[in-house]
Amino acid sequence: MFTYLPLDLTPGSQEIRFLNLLPASSFDAAIHCTIFNGSLQAPPHYEALSYVWGTESDKSKICLMYDAAQSNAASKADVENHITRTGTGLNFEVTPNLASALRHIRHDNLSRTLWIDAICINQVDANEKSHQVAQMRQVYLSAQGVIMWLGPELSSSSSLAIKFLRSVRMGEDGQSQYLYQEADSPAWFACDDLFLKRPYWGRSWILQEVLHNRPVTVHVGNNVLDIDEFFRLFKKYFTFRKVLSSLSMSGLSTEEQRRLSKEPEKLNKVLANDQWFRASGTTESMPDALVYMRPLFQDPEYLPRLGYLLYTFRDQGATIPKDKIYSLYGIAKQEYDIEINYNEDPVKGATLTTRDLYMRTTRQLLANVLVVLLWIESPQRKIASGLDGTNLPSWVPDFMTEQHLSARCLYTKSTLFCASRDPNGMWKGPSADKENDLKSSGIFTIRGVRVGRIENTRDVHATRKWSEDKAAQGWDKLRLFWYEPIRHLNGMDTAISNEAVPESDVSSATFENTSWGPCKAERGDIIVVAAGSNIPLVLRKEGEGFLFVGGCWLVKSQINLSALLEPEKSSKQEGFDEIMYGSIAKEIGKTCVVEEFELY
């Protein structure tokens, strides 16, 4: 097996390893590489590889030795012994996808100097990995270029997609009848595979690797494209993919879909609800995000905020949960103290668990904006206390989980409301955590006013296709609820009148005339307007404290969702309860008091 020479891991050191991919005249020839230690302060001419590791099973073997300039007797002895035993020099394992990438980008007669994380970082050394990941951003910024490896050719599908999109001509209105006619053709399915289905697009690390001002070439099988041309092809594809996706969810016949695709005004009316929830709650596809954001990063000074990145790219995958934060931290504005530490073994030094990383990061984010709590709700997570030291506290997002469409809408549209608006200073300070951000107690404290208690719930679907299903399940599920308005004063809850849609009128209850909120809200949960939150929050009593359940909208009569998409029409709507616009502040000290709620 291969033995690494150690790197200088002292703070401030920029030592890394580089890889020479040796040439071969045959595509199927064994892969031979040399490796050497170097520094980002005076790097060689190299390219960085952006790829997905892929399956860990059925690994391929390559021959890896230290460069002659850096003699490593132990490594050479290992290789010589391996050759003696096996008759080959193949002493280092890589995933099949990486092996395929190396074969496709290998030159016939020239070596190619690369940086590849799986080879250049000793993946079993947590301390080295922590040190090297902290330099990841600089690795890509210092490279002469980046190779974006999307994967091998799949039955010539990528070649078909590229040829097809190159042939498409866009009209002045951005429409193309030809694409609609090809929606169910092999060419269209090939486009889906190229831009949506390849595992590469699910990676969190793509952003660090592609969002910069260095040249990028896209490799898919034997196809090689400049990233600008690749983006142009994607824009053609995505213009129509969004429309066809909405049409496919509409429940309309194929003929009706084709007819509506030619009449945008009628299409928008038919898909009004679907369009609203998609526009408000869905995240961008990764290629679409890269198209939008890469021009911004041509300015070396541009750095988005970490909170924006964590929310926008929540659905991106990571094999290691810590990478959901680490993969984005390197391209974010450096306003938080994020420790990069992969070590979870006390014997090997200071440790940092995923729970502690998520909790510390969340505390810092919440110190700026309480709306971060709206990232938490997920059908994949249990609402539970974190006081046992193992579970994530209920107030900490699990960045490895996905959110329902409704939860995303509550976040993206929260700025339309001002539930904790306080022109007269009745709140006497925003919500503030009493715990030191480095403690691991699992408690976060908010200040707020109780305004209601949930009495009953009902599940419906947000989009047209499933609106009449008996069992509401899936990513577009909404939980309607009926609640009893209450005020808390002198240690007691007092019920007040409720003008919302009555529970008895269940047949007419929809998300446009009934309050709705967390997909796991239950009878007995309380509704709180918290200082610093634009919308009310749902909490559940747990011992002496509370569990965070999610955000909600309080609706008393018909509202117009479509109008909320248009800034000029998105001002105060009569259908929402006045609490959504800050009316509770007028009652503080009269019918209710501000309480402290400890979230576990």
Side-chain angles (χ1 to χ4, degrees):
M1 297 298 293
F2 180 77
T3 302
Y4 282 103
L5 278 174
L7 293 172
D8 179 3
L9 304 182
T10 57
S13 167
Q14 291 188 290
E15 188 172 17
I16 67 171
R17 299 186 184 93
F18 297 98
L19 184 77
N20 286 322
L21 175 60
L22 303 183
S25 57
S26 168
F27 178 85
D28 294 320
I31 300 169
H32 289 258
C33 303
T34 62
I35 193 170
F36 61 96
N37 292 11
S39 173
L40 288 173
Q41 293 177 324
H45 183 112
Y46 73 97
E47 299 165 285
L49 183 66
S50 174
Y51 70 109
V52 60
W53 280 34
T55 177
E56 295 281 341
S57 60
D58 299 322
K59 285 189 172 182
S60 301
K61 290 186 176 182
I62 67 172
C63 178
L64 182 65
M65 295 181 63
Y66 262 89
D67 186 271
Q70 293 186 338
S71 177
N72 182 352
S75 291
K76 290 183 177 180
D78 288 341
V79 174
E80 290 170 359
N81 290 336
H82 189 82
I83 293 174
T84 300
R85 295 194 308 272
T86 67
T88 72
L90 307 179
N91 64 328
F92 192 92
E93 290 187 334
V94 298
T95 62
N97 187 54
L98 178 52
S100 179
L102 293 173
R103 283 195 162 89
H104 278 87
I105 67 175
R106 178 171 56 183
H107 293 317
D108 293 339
N109 51 18
L110 294 173
S111 63
R112 195 167 192 172
T113 303
L114 305 165
W115 184 87
I116 303 174
D117 61 346
I119 302 176
C120 295
I121 298 176
N122 184 354
Q123 297 293 329
V124 299
D125 185 334
N127 291 326
E128 178 182 309
K129 188 174 180 180
S130 301
H131 180 272
Q132 295 291 284
V133 167
Q135 300 186 92
M136 191 81 79
R137 182 61 175 167
Q138 195 56 45
V139 168
Y140 282 87
L141 289 176
S142 299
Q144 297 298 313
V146 173
I147 301 168
M148 180 194 290
W149 171 248
L150 300 186
E153 184 83 57
L154 300 175
S155 303
S156 301
S157 65
S158 56
S159 296
L160 175 61
I162 292 168
K163 180 180 180 181
F164 168 62
L165 290 173
R166 281 174 172 166
S167 71
V168 171
R169 296 293 179 265
M170 304 289 283
E172 292 182 2
D173 59 355
Q175 303 298 311
S176 172
Q177 182 62 35
Y178 183 57
L179 260 182
Y180 292 124
Q181 294 171 351
E182 293 289 337
D184 56 358
S185 72
W188 184 258
F189 292 133
C191 291
D192 282 348
D193 172 75
L194 180 60
F195 295 116
L196 291 182
K197 297 181 179 179
R198 287 186 174 260
Y200 177 86
W201 300 120
R203 299 176 59 242
S204 292
W205 283 105
I206 297 175
L207 295 144
Q208 280 215 49
E209 298 164 358
V210 177
L211 294 180
H212 45 65
N213 58 5
R214 311 308 298 148
V216 176
T217 54
V218 180
H219 293 244
V220 52
N222 291 321
N223 296 287
V224 181
L225 299 83
D226 176 84
I227 195 168
D228 291 332
E229 182 189 5
F230 185 79
F231 283 170
R232 285 193 295 272
L233 298 182
F234 171 77
K235 287 178 182 178
K236 291 181 181 181
Y237 162 77
F238 202 54
T239 297
F240 304 99
R241 187 64 177 85
K242 289 188 290 187
V243 175
L244 290 168
S245 178
S246 288
L247 281 170
S248 69
M249 298 296 183
S250 67
L252 299 173
S253 68
T254 301
E255 184 55 38
E256 289 175 311
Q257 290 182 40
R258 287 183 180 277
R259 176 176 54 79
L260 280 173
S261 69
K262 305 172 188 177
E263 303 178 56
E265 290 187 8
K266 291 184 179 180
L267 174 66
N268 290 336
K269 290 180 181 179
V270 170
L271 302 178
N273 291 338
D274 178 79
Q275 298 253 350
W276 188 87
F277 276 97
R278 287 177 184 278
S280 303
T282 55
T283 54
E284 301 168 286
S285 72
M286 179 51 75
D288 193 36
L290 296 179
V291 168
Y292 166 71
M293 296 186 71
R294 184 168 159 83
L296 300 176
F297 278 88
Q298 300 311 296
D299 177 2
E301 301 299 318
Y302 174 76
L303 291 173
R305 302 192 73 172
L306 180 61
Y308 165 78
L309 295 171
L310 286 172
Y311 173 76
T312 303
F313 300 104
R314 169 71 170 265
D315 291 343
Q316 293 303 112
T319 303
I320 301 171
K322 290 179 180 179
D323 284 345
K324 292 287 287 196
I325 293 176
Y326 293 159
S327 63
L328 301 174
Y329 181 59
I331 60 171
K333 183 179 180 181
Q334 301 297 291
E335 55 186 326
Y336 302 113
D337 180 19
I338 307 294
E339 178 186 359
I340 298 181
N341 184 351
Y342 285 95
N343 185 33
E344 299 194 15
D345 183 355
V347 176
K348 296 181 179 180
T351 62
L352 178 68
T353 65
T354 298
R355 176 182 182 272
D356 285 343
L357 173 65
Y358 281 17
M359 192 159 62
R360 293 180 189 182
T361 301
T362 302
R363 281 196 193 279
Q364 295 181 73
L365 291 166
L366 286 171
N368 288 335
V369 283
L370 206 62
V371 74
V372 170
L373 291 173
L374 300 183
W375 301 353
I376 294 170
E377 183 194 345
S378 170
Q380 298 169 336
R381 92 176 262 177
K382 179 174 66 173
I383 299 174
S385 167
L387 295 184
D388 60 1
T390 55
N391 291 325
L392 276 177
S394 68
W395 52 269
V396 177
D398 183 348
F399 296 102
M400 293 294 286
T401 63
E402 298 178 354
Q403 288 195 287
H404 269 165
L405 197 59
S406 57
R408 287 190 173 276
C409 290
L410 290 174
Y411 173 76
T412 59
K413 292 301 178 183
S414 63
T415 54
L416 296 176
F417 306 101
C418 49
S420 63
R421 183 172 64 90
D422 185 18
N424 299 317
M426 298 304 295
W427 289 107
K428 297 180 181 178
S431 286
D433 181 26
K434 295 188 296 186
E435 299 293 331
N436 185 290
D437 66 350
L438 295 181
K439 291 183 179 180
S440 301
S441 67
I443 299 175
F444 186 83
T445 305
I446 62 174
R447 299 171 63 250
V449 175
R450 303 181 195 221
V451 298
R453 182 186 299 109
I454 293 177
E455 295 294 317
N456 202 357
T457 65
R458 176 195 173 200
D459 291 342
V460 298
H461 282 293
T463 54
R464 178 182 175 91
K465 180 177 179 180
W466 302 281
S467 60
E468 297 181 359
D469 282 5
K470 293 181 179 179
Q473 298 178 356
W475 60 274
D476 74 327
K477 186 175 78 170
L478 281 175
R479 178 154 291 183
L480 307 181
F481 66 80
W482 289 263
Y483 70 98
E484 178 184 32
I486 59 172
R487 299 293 183 267
H488 188 79
L489 188 66
N490 299 324
M492 298 179 59
D493 290 343
T494 302
I496 62 175
S497 63
N498 189 357
E499 299 177 2
V501 174
E503 185 178 346
S504 59
D505 200 6
V506 172
S507 61
S508 65
T510 72
F511 49 84
E512 292 184 277
N513 62 17
T514 306
S515 299
W516 54 276
C519 63
K520 294 187 178 181
E522 298 177 354
R523 177 183 173 88
D525 290 346
I526 65 169
I527 303 167
V528 172
V529 173
S533 177
N534 289 336
I535 65 173
L537 307 176
V538 178
L539 308 181
R540 182 172 301 161
K541 187 65 176 173
E542 173 78 3
E544 296 299 315
F546 295 84
L547 302 179
F548 180 79
V549 182
C552 67
W553 279 8
L554 302 183
V555 179
K556 63 180 182 180
S557 61
Q558 191 72 27
I559 59 175
N560 184 352
L561 286 179
S562 299
L564 296 180
L565 280 177
E566 305 174 46
E568 67 276 8
K569 297 181 181 179
S570 60
S571 57
K572 183 176 178 180
Q573 284 197 34
E574 292 184 359
F576 287 103
D577 193 296
E578 289 291 328
I579 286 175
M580 299 293 290
Y581 298 105
S583 66
I584 197 63
K586 301 175 184 177
E587 301 184 42
I588 295 175
K590 300 174 184 177
T591 64
C592 58
V593 294
V594 177
E595 305 173 69
E596 288 191 344
F597 299 88
E598 289 193 340
L599 305 183
Y600 294 165

